[in-house]
């Protein structure tokens, strides 16, 4: 119980509620794997990959060990490395830029839209120009579908100018842009199955979706140490990055109820926005897009954010700040180039955003308690 209130502390993401709903099905799926003991690339992995591809409309879904590995594998499959520039937004989790550095390339930061928090397509040419001035060859761009909302993929495609487009949908798998699910925009889409994601497993996991047959073949090789026709015939340098069979079995069961959970998340988000509009800046979803609401992120004046978080914490309402330091200011990344026009929006958002509890099992009474606490805190 919280020290300042007799009410219980609200879970920020209630994984246990979903576990209760799926308990028997999950237990049976795991028991099946324990029975056949094919723990690495067992039949459930192949089944889940087929289900995943069908769900999002891609020709191929290649699973791997994490969302970060999914991005790395896709960049390696394209041969991106030293001397190459990979354009990515500054207002995102570090993995988006990290993967460029891991393969030896250079991340080049671009600003985001104030309204959606996603990459500003109009700033892409400036990032390409900055990369070239730095002596780099622009090769790829990683738009991020932040907080569950798809980026402007039409704008990205129009401004990418021949770059390899790798959609980072780690927070937004299941979302739609122009009434089409993520998974087929750009050349490849990477996602994560980290437990807190809208479609999460009980450990780590990731996947790459693509319509490119040749790329899918290379991805499958890379995740198995670069093997060719035989496990001891390695035709490229790869890594060990496979989704465990148990996690695939769990994800198959979760995928069955995923559309229902997406509907619930959107219903909850609409209630938040209707109740809080005018008190805070609520998130917007452009026409033709559908968010999966990995986070419900509001904006408040920077001078009041810490106070809001403290008041809510005393009321048993947890909050989170994603991301208080944009990538271009972090120690590991501040020496990398920034696109022409700067990243002022990323700087501003990092001081104003704060996320409220969001998951598909957030009950109306609990949500009303959160809404009332936010309103009282900002009076």
């Amino acid at each position: 119980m919280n020290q300042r209130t007799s009410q219980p502390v609200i879970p920020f993401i209630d994984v246990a509620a979903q576990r209760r709903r799926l308990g028997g099905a999950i237990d049976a799926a795991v028991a099946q794997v324990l029975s056949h003991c094919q723990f690495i690339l067992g039949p459930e992995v192949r089944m889940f990959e087929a289900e995943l591809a069908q769900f999002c409309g891609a020709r191929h879904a290649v699973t791997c060990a994490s969302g970060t590995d999914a991005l790395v594998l896709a960049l390696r499959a394209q041969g991106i490395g030293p001397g190459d520039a990979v354009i990515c937004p500054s207002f995102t989790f570090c993995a988006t830029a990290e993967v460029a550095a891991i393969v030896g390339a250079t991340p080049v930061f671009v600003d985001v839209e104030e309204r959606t928090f996603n990459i500003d397509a109009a700033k892409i040419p400036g990032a390409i120009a900055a990369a070239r001035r730095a002596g780099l060859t622009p090769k790829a761009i990683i738009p991020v579908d932040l907080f569950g909302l798809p980026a402007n993929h039409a704008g990205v495609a129009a401004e990418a100018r021949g770059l390899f487009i790798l959609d980072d949908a780690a927070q937004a798998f299941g979302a739609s842009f122009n009434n089409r699910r993520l998974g087929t925009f750009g050349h490849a889409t990477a996602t994560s199955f980290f437990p807190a994601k809208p479609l999460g497993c009980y450990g780590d996991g990731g996947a790459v979706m693509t319509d490119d047959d040749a790329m899918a073949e290379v991805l499958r090789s890379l995740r198995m140490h670069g093997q060719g026709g035989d496990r001891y015939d390695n035709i490229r340098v790869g890594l060990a990055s496979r989704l465990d069979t148990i996690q695939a079995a769990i994800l198959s069961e979760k995928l069955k109820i995923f559309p229902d959970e997406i509907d619930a998340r959107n219903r909850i988000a609409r209630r938040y926005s209707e109740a809080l509009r005018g008190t805070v800046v609520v998130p917007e979803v452009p026409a033709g897009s559908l968010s999966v609401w990995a986070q419900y992120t509001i904006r408040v004046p920077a001078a009041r954010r810490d106070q809001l978080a403290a008041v809510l914490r005393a009321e048993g309402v947890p909050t989170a700040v994603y991301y208080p330091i944009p990538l271009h200011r972090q120690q590991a990344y501040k020496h990398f180039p920034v696109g022409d026009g700067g990243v002022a929006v990323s700087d501003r958002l990092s001081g104003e955003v704060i996320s409220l509890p969001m998951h598909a099992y957030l009950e109306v009474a609990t949500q009303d308690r959160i809404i009332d606490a936010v309103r009282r805190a900002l009076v």
Side-chain angles (χ1 to χ4, degrees):
M1 306 292 275
N2 187 274
Q3 293 180 350
R4 294 279 300 277
T5 178
S6 60
Q7 300 185 79
V9 176
I10 296 168
F12 187 72
I13 298 173
D14 195 349
V15 178
Q18 185 198 57
R19 174 76 177 98
R20 288 191 293 272
R21 176 180 179 181
L22 280 173
I26 294 287
D27 292 348
V30 171
Q32 179 65 26
V33 178
L34 296 177
S35 176
H36 65 58
C37 293
Q38 298 178 57
F39 300 118
I40 303 297
L41 295 181
E44 285 81 1
V45 174
R46 295 188 293 275
M47 180 178 70
F48 175 62
E49 288 179 338
E51 294 167 346
L52 200 64
Q54 182 179 26
F55 179 86
C56 68
R59 283 176 59 85
H60 304 277
V62 181
T63 55
C64 58
S66 71
T68 302
D69 276 5
L71 293 167
V72 169
L73 289 167
L75 293 179
R76 285 193 172 181
Q78 290 298 301
I80 292 169
D84 297 334
V86 178
I87 296 166
C88 60
S90 183
F91 188 64
T92 184
F93 184 58
C94 68
T96 310
E98 177 182 54
V99 296
I102 285 173
V103 301
T106 301
V108 177
F109 296 117
V110 66
D111 213 355
V112 297
E113 298 174 339
E114 194 150 5
R115 188 167 66 100
T116 66
F117 309 149
N118 282 325
I119 190 168
D120 187 342
K123 300 290 183 66
I124 294 172
I128 293 173
R132 288 178 173 148
R133 283 199 307 274
L136 302 167
T137 302
K139 282 287 186 71
I141 182 167
I142 308 180
V144 178
D145 307 305
L146 201 69
F147 301 148
L149 178 66
N152 175 10
H153 289 287
V156 170
E159 298 293 350
R161 306 184 184 193
L163 301 181
F164 172 67
I165 302 174
L166 173 56
D167 180 22
D168 183 347
Q171 298 182 20
F173 186 76
S176 301
F177 175 76
N178 284 349
N179 302 309
R180 195 171 98 218
R181 280 179 177 154
L182 298 180
T184 58
F185 293 98
H187 300 93
T189 299
T191 196
S192 167
F193 302 123
F194 185 78
K197 304 301 186 198
L199 181 63
C201 58
Y202 290 169
D204 262 322
V208 182
M209 280 68 66
T210 183
D211 287 339
D212 187 324
D213 296 345
M215 184 189 301
E217 183 178 353
V218 173
L219 289 168
R220 293 187 182 102
S221 168
L222 286 170
R223 74 175 177 184
M224 285 285 288
H225 299 285
Q227 75 175 31
D230 181 90
R231 66 179 298 182
Y232 298 114
D233 176 23
N234 299 296
I235 58 177
R236 53 180 61 88
V237 176
L239 61 159
S241 183
R242 300 168 298 244
L243 181 68
D244 291 342
T245 307
I246 286 176
Q247 301 300 344
I250 291 167
L251 286 163
S252 283
E253 295 304 320
K254 288 193 171 194
L255 189 60
K256 293 175 183 176
I257 65 167
F258 194 36
D260 178 58
E261 291 185 331
I262 293 172
D263 289 344
R265 286 173 175 270
N266 276 275
R267 183 170 61 252
I268 291 162
R270 283 193 297 270
R271 289 193 81 250
Y272 265 142
S273 294
E274 289 167 2
L276 293 175
R277 186 174 284 109
T279 302
V280 299
V281 179
V282 299
E284 297 183 31
V285 178
S289 290
L290 176 75
S291 177
V292 293
W293 300 102
Q295 310 295 342
Y296 185 86
T297 303
I298 60 176
R299 292 173 58 194
V300 297
R304 302 199 67 182
R305 185 173 71 183
D306 288 348
Q307 175 194 7
L308 173 61
V311 171
L312 293 182
R313 184 167 56 251
E315 295 284 339
V317 178
T319 60
V321 175
Y322 309 90
Y323 298 94
I325 308 174
L327 291 179
H328 69 278
R329 295 193 181 279
Q330 294 187 23
Q331 183 67 31
Y333 300 98
K334 63 184 181 181
H335 62 286
F336 292 121
V338 171
D340 294 350
V343 283
V345 175
S346 296
D347 278 326
R348 185 160 55 252
L349 291 175
S350 68
E352 297 177 353
V353 295
I354 185 168
S355 299
L356 303 177
M358 166 55 79
H359 55 84
Y361 302 92
L362 187 61
E363 296 177 347
V364 169
T366 304
Q367 187 178 23
D368 286 343
R369 178 181 154 197
I370 297 165
I371 291 166
D372 290 344
V374 172
R375 286 171 168 168
R376 289 196 306 272
L378 292 175
V379 170

